[in-house]
Amino acid sequence: MDFFCGFSPERINPGDKEHTFLTIKKVTSGSTPEVAKKVDDLYNLVVKNGTHRASSIKVAEAAKVIENSQRDLNIAFVNELAKIFNIMGIDTLEVLEAAGSKWNFLPFRPGLVGGHCIGVDPYYLTHKAQEIGYHPEVILAGRRINDSMGNYVAGEVVKLMIKKGHTIAKSKVLVLGITFKENCPDIRNSRVIDVIHELEEFGCDVDVYDPWAGAAEVQAEYGVELIRNETFNSKKTNYDAVVLAVAHHQFQTMDLHQFGNGNCVLYDVKGIAKDADGRL
């Protein structure tokens, strides 16, 4: 062999100002023990929290895949809880807050699972599992639940609109946020687009506003024309429904009812609006 390989899986969390490249612990590996040591020594020169040297590149990559698969499954669990508690008439966030009073309860919240890691990496693992003759069940079940949440949210919004007497066809709906997470411009694999498309399938006229996303990028990736900042700030449209899809800090201090027509449905995907008509 006349070449060698070192590998350290990515752990950067887009938009996270606390867990940065310099402050996280890096997993390192190499194709030989000697190369693994060189890679480990290199990262230890720059990262403050040190490294974890894996025994092989396979172990390092497997660790990356299960980090994201674990989060995917935990979110899928609370998404399923949200569906169950909605039928039962119980506030999901109140239940999670109560359960969170126990010291070892994991603080996951329901939501739309997108991005380039959590919604993607589990498929790498399940593909490899099937390739070697094992059919994964739990991981794929979690994926099915999380991939269904956009359509679920849209359906709940329409139900609330019907209860308030709205005619769904040609109704005006405002979706706030299209990035895959808050306070971040990343739109990769955003599942907000599922909400938008499903509302359009119902016949709704959907406007989308996101102060973080790039308008040209959103148009190229999803075919959605964002409302411009200057237009949004002066827009006087009375919407039949407002969907808070992403918890950007701009939305957390905004009076969302200002966009309504007096009988507007406010659906809060992120659980930050106390006076919402519905939420996950």
Side-chain angles (χ1 to χ4, degrees), residues 193-214:
I193 194 64
D194 298 338
V195 180
I196 296 168
H197 285 165
E198 187 70 1
L199 287 171
E200 290 175 339
E201 283 293 313
F202 277 109
C204 301
D205 182 6
V206 182
D207 285 342
V208 184
Y209 174 68
D210 193 314
W212 284 81

Side-chain angles (χ1 to χ4, degrees), residues 149-165:
M149 293 309 292
N151 289 353
Y152 174 79
V153 166
E156 290 301 299
V157 172
V158 168
K159 288 177 186 177
L160 289 169
M161 292 172 68
I162 292 172
K163 288 180 180 178
K164 285 199 171 187

Side-chain angles (χ1 to χ4, degrees), residues 9-10 61-70 72 114-128 139 143 189:
E10 181 188 9
E61 177 61 8
K64 163 70 175 179
V65 170
I66 70 164
E67 287 170 16
N68 290 315
S69 298
Q70 182 186 70
D72 192 43
H116 65 298
C117 287
I118 297 179
V120 176
D121 283 4
Y123 287 122
Y124 296 147
L125 181 57
T126 57
H127 173 77
K128 186 62 180 179
I139 300 170
R143 282 280 73 236
N189 198 34

Side-chain angles (χ1 to χ4, degrees), residues 129-206:
Q130 290 169 335
E131 189 176 72
I132 61 176
Y134 179 81
H135 178 69
E137 298 183 56
V138 174
I139 300 170
L140 288 176
R143 282 280 73 236
R144 285 193 295 271
I145 291 172
N146 285 341
D147 278 348
S148 73
M149 293 309 292
N151 289 353
Y152 174 79
V153 166
E156 290 301 299
V157 172
V158 168
K159 288 177 186 177
L160 289 169
M161 292 172 68
I162 292 172
K163 288 180 180 178
K164 285 199 171 187
H166 292 288
T167 300
I168 304 305
K170 305 299 182 181
S171 60
K172 295 289 293 182
V173 180
L174 173 64
V175 173
L176 295 174
I178 197 171
T179 62
F180 88 88
K181 64 180 296 186
E182 66 275 5
N183 306 325
C184 171
D186 199 334
I187 65 167
R188 286 177 292 179
N189 198 34
S190 172
R191 301 287 28 110
V192 179
I193 194 64
D194 298 338
V195 180
I196 296 168
H197 285 165
E198 187 70 1
L199 287 171
E200 290 175 339
E201 283 293 313
F202 277 109
C204 301
D205 182 6
V206 182

Side-chain angles (χ1 to χ4, degrees), residues 24-89:
I24 61 175
K25 177 172 281 191
K26 287 289 288 180
V27 173
T28 65
S29 63
S31 55
T32 67
E34 293 77 19
V35 171
K37 184 178 185 308
K38 286 181 180 293
V39 172
D40 196 66
D41 289 344
L42 176 63
Y43 274 106
N44 270 300
L45 292 175
V46 289
V47 295
K48 297 178 180 178
N49 281 346
T51 60
H52 177 97
R53 194 196 313 178
S55 62
S56 68
I57 291 176
K58 285 185 176 181
V59 169
E61 177 61 8
K64 163 70 175 179
V65 170
I66 70 164
E67 287 170 16
N68 290 315
S69 298
Q70 182 186 70
R71 287 187 58 79
D72 192 43
L73 286 169
N74 278 313
I75 298 170
F77 173 59
V78 293
N79 274 337
E80 188 161 59
L81 292 180
K83 291 182 176 182
I84 295 170
F85 293 147
N86 182 49
I87 297 171
M88 297 173 66

